[in-house]
Structure formats: structure tokens, C-alpha cells
Amino acid sequence: MKTPARIVIVLLVVGAAAATIILKGNKSRDAANPTTAVVTSDAAAATDATAKLPKLLDLGATKCIPCKMMAPILEELKKEYAGKMKVEFIDVWQNEDAGKKYGVEMIPTQIFYDANGKELFRHTGFFGKEDILAKWKELGVDISGGKPAAGIVRETPVAADTRPRDSVCFMCDGTIDPKTKALVKGQAEQHAFCAPHCYFIYFSSLVNPDAKAEEAKVSVTDWENGNLVPSATASYLYGMGTKGRATIKAFATGEAATKEQQSAPGNLVTWDVLKAKELTTRCAFCDRAVYPEDACGVEFGSTHGHGCCTHCSLGVAARLKQDIEIEAKDGLTGEMIRVKTLDGQIASLEPGTAIAWFGQKKGPDGKWVSAGCFKQGFFVNETNLQKWLDARPAMTGRQITIAQALSDKMKLSPEQIAKACKLGECK
Ligand SMILES: [Zn+2]
Ligand SMILES: [Zn+2]
């Protein structure tokens, strides 16, 4: 394959934000800077404009890697927006003149035209589907065919949460089982948790905690009689519940724990061992303790990690400045949702209908803030999200695209990422 001397491939390199690799000498770039929108009338668009439609033209080559990654996206757009937008691809290696005609120096290059064939915008390099759609919107071109933008917004609860405050877990908002309750009682604060696991999530969310001082504040519930006992002196039976998720039973004495062990298998452990086990697996974005069974899987490079929630898993791309692959479960049905990122954009989404819920609450100053990791989710479609919300009348927040959720994370500064999910830092 002969490569025209003037054309450069925009190569996307794992680990770098974007690297433009110049394969062939490039004479004068300023003559036609491809990142600048050149307003020209597109003759090709004018001739076949029996129906006047906006057009997305992708100039690439079938053998360039980022171009190949564009191909399924263009195919999807072509199908989904048939009759609303034209989608065309020109191979500039096979058709050198086309590259010259459009003044393309790098591939892939996408050119956005309005319905009259006027060029509105150019982009070089890989361009994700959601970002393309967002660009049309930004350019003020309606390719939705008049359909109003879908999306569930719930700013006020459908029903108030009437549970007594001391029965609600401070971390996960779940109703506290009196048999596994953990309690933090300090000078200023008192927080109840549904189980020791939620306490450890809380502990891993503290900013520079004094471990010994924190430990002294914690009581756990004796499984035998329901009394609160100091966490450090209790004995723990660490077993396996359904779906491989750990269960923790606390006992005031080792004898009581040994007795329980005969009917319910598990390991007898001290507080320190329990703590070490619980803090082993961390969210690769916010560093909170997680159980892998509850978390999203995140692949980066050759490493497999976890995101404690769906939004945190996207945050791994921002924290590591690396392309990632996520496996998340639909919040309602557990169906798998797969997301791949490329240079901080969505490269692929399976299924294509998947959406995100951004759980938000109104802060004391009236501004919307994240409602925390336990209030976030991905769903294979809006129907599942609606059903999930129906079962959570007190929930507030809004539906967003997964691309939006990723873009929000990519905008975070290193300082914000360092403070991510630490208690009180969301605001
Ligand atoms: Zn909890
Ligand atoms: Zn997290």
C-alpha cells in the first residue's frame, strides 16, 4: 500500500493522551491546518443532495488502526440516523485525489457538513460515537429528527425516605440488620453501618485517618445476643455467603465464635486480620475498600482492577491516563455492560443502548452534588433504569450518557482525583 506523502496517520498510543505520529515528511502544515474548520462548499454533497441532510464524512484508510476503529461507529451512525444524516467514508490511500481535494493531512479526519453542504467542523484522530453526537449538538445541527432528547430527570423524591435515621447505613443507605450493625461513636460524630464491611469502606474514605484513634470508636454487634462490643477485642467468623461474598459475624468471646463455626463454616479471625482482609481490594479510582463481587471489573494494560461503582470505574481512565476496559452489571438485571475507552473517549459500548444514572442530591447551598458511589449505576436501557428507580422512590439524580460520565471524570484535576470519594470531598 502506497501512502501519499502528505498524509499522516493520527495514531493513538496507549498511555498517552494522544500522539500524532508523522509517518512521512510533512511539508507545510500551515497551508491547510486540518484542525481548523475551513468553510468551503462541498461539491460532492451538493450533487447528491436530493434530500438535503447534514453529512459526516470520514477520510481514512482501511488499513490504519484508528480508522479501523472508526468503521463500526460509522456503520452504527449510518443505520441509526438513516434519513437524518448522511455518513460517508473515503479511503484516501486508494483514492489519493480525495485526500487532496479535502485538504486532509492526517487520517482519520472527520468533516461535519450542514444540510447545505457547508463545512462546520473538522476533527482528526479517533472520534467516539457519543462525542460525534455531542459535536452535532454543539454545532446546533439537529440529527434527532425532531425527537426530544430522552432522559430521566428526578429532582425531587417520589416518596420521602421514612426509615428512622438510626436504621439506615451511613455508607450504603441500606437498612441495618440489627445482628450485624457496626457503630462509630466519636466525640463529634456517630454513624451506624449495616455491617462491618460498610465500616471498612467508611474507614478507607477517611482523609489521613489515625488508625488507632478510629478503631477505638468502633463497636460491633455480638451475633449471639445483639449487644454492642468493642471491635478490637471481639472475635470474628469470616465466612462465605451467597455469590462468594464474604460474611462477617462478630462475637464477644472466642468460645462463642468457635461454637458458631461448627454449624456455619468460616475462619476465626481477630480484628487486625479482619481489617487486613477487608482493606486488601481497593477501588482503582477512589481507593475505597471493595468486594470484587460488588465491584466493576476494570482492565488497564495487563492489570485487572476494580471500580467500586460504575462512575469510579470510568474514573480509572482519568486517574491512570490510560485506555481501559470495563465490565459493569446492569443495576437492575445484572446483564453485562462493556465499555472500552480510547484517549479519554468511549471507543465501544455494549450494548449500544446502555446509559448511566448519575445519583445526585442537593447540597446545603442548593447545588447538586454526587450522592455517592452507592447511588450510581449503568443500565442496558432506559426501561431498566426506570424500573430500578420505581423501586427507589427516594432517589434523585439524572440520566446521562456513559460518554458524559466519562467526560466528567476526564475533566477532573489531579487534586480532585486525589480527593475522590474521600468523605466530604464530593462537594
Ligand atoms: Zn451499608
Ligand atoms: Zn471508587
Side-chain angles (χ1 to χ4, degrees):
M1 178 73 56
K2 195 174 140 253
T3 310
R6 294 187 65 243
I7 293 180
V8 168
I9 299 179
V10 179
L11 256 182
L12 299 146
V13 176
V14 172
T20 306
I21 308 289
I22 299 172
L23 297 182
K24 301 273 176 174
N26 190 353
K27 288 162 266 170
S28 79
R29 294 229 9 227
D30 43 20
N33 185 344
T35 57
T36 310
V38 182
V39 181
T40 52
S41 184
D42 178 26
T47 50
D48 71 339
T50 39
K52 282 195 162 189
L53 291 174
K55 183 167 93 169
L56 176 70
L57 175 63
D58 183 60
L59 297 127
T62 48
K63 290 193 177 165
C64 109
I65 292 166
C67 307
K68 271 191 206 167
M69 300 186 69
M70 289 298 300
I73 292 171
L74 298 172
E75 225 20 69
E76 270 178 39
L77 289 170
K78 205 174 208 170
K79 271 189 215 142
E80 282 171 38
Y81 292 89
K84 295 162 199 151
M85 150 173 83
K86 288 183 201 165
V87 180
E88 284 178 21
F89 170 74
I90 297 177
D91 188 321
V92 295
W93 284 357
Q94 285 177 3
N95 184 355
E96 283 185 34
D97 291 344
K100 279 180 211 147
K101 178 184 158 192
Y102 292 98
V104 168
E105 293 187 338
M106 290 194 248
I107 56 170
T109 289
Q110 301 84 33
I111 312 180
F112 291 65
Y113 296 100
D114 72 7
N116 295 316
K118 183 181 147 195
E119 179 174 332
L120 302 174
F121 178 74
R122 265 180 199 220
H123 177 271
T124 52
F126 174 83
F127 211 17
K129 183 179 169 187
E130 294 290 343
D131 298 287
I132 291 172
L133 295 174
K135 182 49 78 178
W136 279 121
K137 208 171 168 190
E138 188 194 312
L139 294 168
V141 178
D142 180 21
I143 55 160
S144 68
K147 256 194 307 178
I152 301 165
V153 178
R154 196 198 267 172
E155 293 194 334
T156 46
V158 171
D161 190 344
T162 53
R163 292 175 298 173
R165 272 201 70 187
D166 60 359
S167 75
V168 179
C169 177
F170 178 72
M171 207 66 228
C172 75
D173 226 21
T175 302
I176 295 172
D177 178 347
K179 283 189 81 96
T180 55
K181 177 177 173 174
L183 191 72
V184 166
K185 205 170 176 180
Q187 297 255 303
E189 81 278 30
Q190 177 165 324
H191 304 307
F193 300 90
C194 64
H197 179 57
C198 267
Y199 164 73
F200 287 110
I201 301 176
Y202 162 82
F203 177 77
S204 60
S205 314
L206 297 173
V207 185
N208 304 321
D210 174 342
K212 281 287 155 215
E214 286 304 321
E215 204 167 279
K217 298 178 194 168
V218 191
S219 308
V220 290
T221 304
D222 186 336
W223 182 262
E224 217 178 19
N225 54 28
N227 294 335
L228 284 172
V229 290
S231 64
T233 57
S235 295
Y236 299 88
L237 186 59
Y238 196 81
M240 274 299 155
T242 49
K243 295 176 192 164
R245 200 175 184 280
T247 58
I248 301 164
K249 292 176 186 172
F251 297 88
T253 63
E255 294 78 58
T258 311
K259 205 175 126 203
E260 175 72 11
Q261 194 185 24
Q262 284 156 16
S263 56
N267 295 327
L268 282 186
V269 294
T270 61
W271 173 256
D272 285 335
V273 173
L274 175 69
K275 187 176 170 185
K277 276 177 181 285
E278 285 279 313
L279 297 178
T280 300
T281 312
R282 301 296 194 99
C283 172
F285 175 64
C286 78
D287 205 37
R288 283 186 182 193
V290 290
Y291 283 162
E293 298 73 32
D294 300 341
C296 298
V298 187
E299 306 278 344
F300 40 97
S302 55
T303 310
H304 183 85
H306 299 94
C308 69
C309 71
T310 50
H311 291 228
C312 272
S313 64
L314 292 172
V316 177
R319 181 174 178 177
L320 302 179
K321 303 219 175 348
Q322 210 173 324
D323 297 330
I324 58 166
E325 287 186 39
I326 300 167
E327 280 197 336
K329 294 185 195 107
D330 177 294
L332 182 77
T333 61
E335 285 164 86
M336 205 52 92
I337 296 166
R338 292 184 173 82
V339 185
K340 285 186 195 173
T341 75
L342 186 65
D343 275 357
Q345 298 173 55
I346 302 291
S348 76
L349 182 61
E350 282 175 58
T353 52
I355 45 152
W357 173 255
F358 184 21
Q360 291 173 300
K361 59 180 184 194
K362 243 185 197 161
D365 56 355
K367 281 193 188 138
W368 287 98
V369 293
S370 166
C373 291
F374 288 95
K375 306 285 178 66
Q376 315 303 338
F378 285 176
F379 298 87
V380 296
N381 55 37
E382 205 175 300
T383 312
N384 280 14
L385 167 61
Q386 188 59 62
K387 282 186 193 160
W388 182 80
L389 284 171
D390 290 346
R392 288 162 180 76
M395 182 78 86
T396 50
R398 60 187 61 242
Q399 176 186 333
I400 59 173
T401 63
I402 292 175
Q404 182 64 52
L406 174 62
S407 140
D408 290 348
K409 287 281 183 269
M410 296 310 296
K411 282 180 205 143
L412 296 176
S413 66
E415 293 73 30
Q416 286 171 314
I417 291 171
K419 288 177 175 176
C421 308
K422 296 294 171 206
L423 285 173
E425 296 290 351
C426 269
K427 289 165 197 83

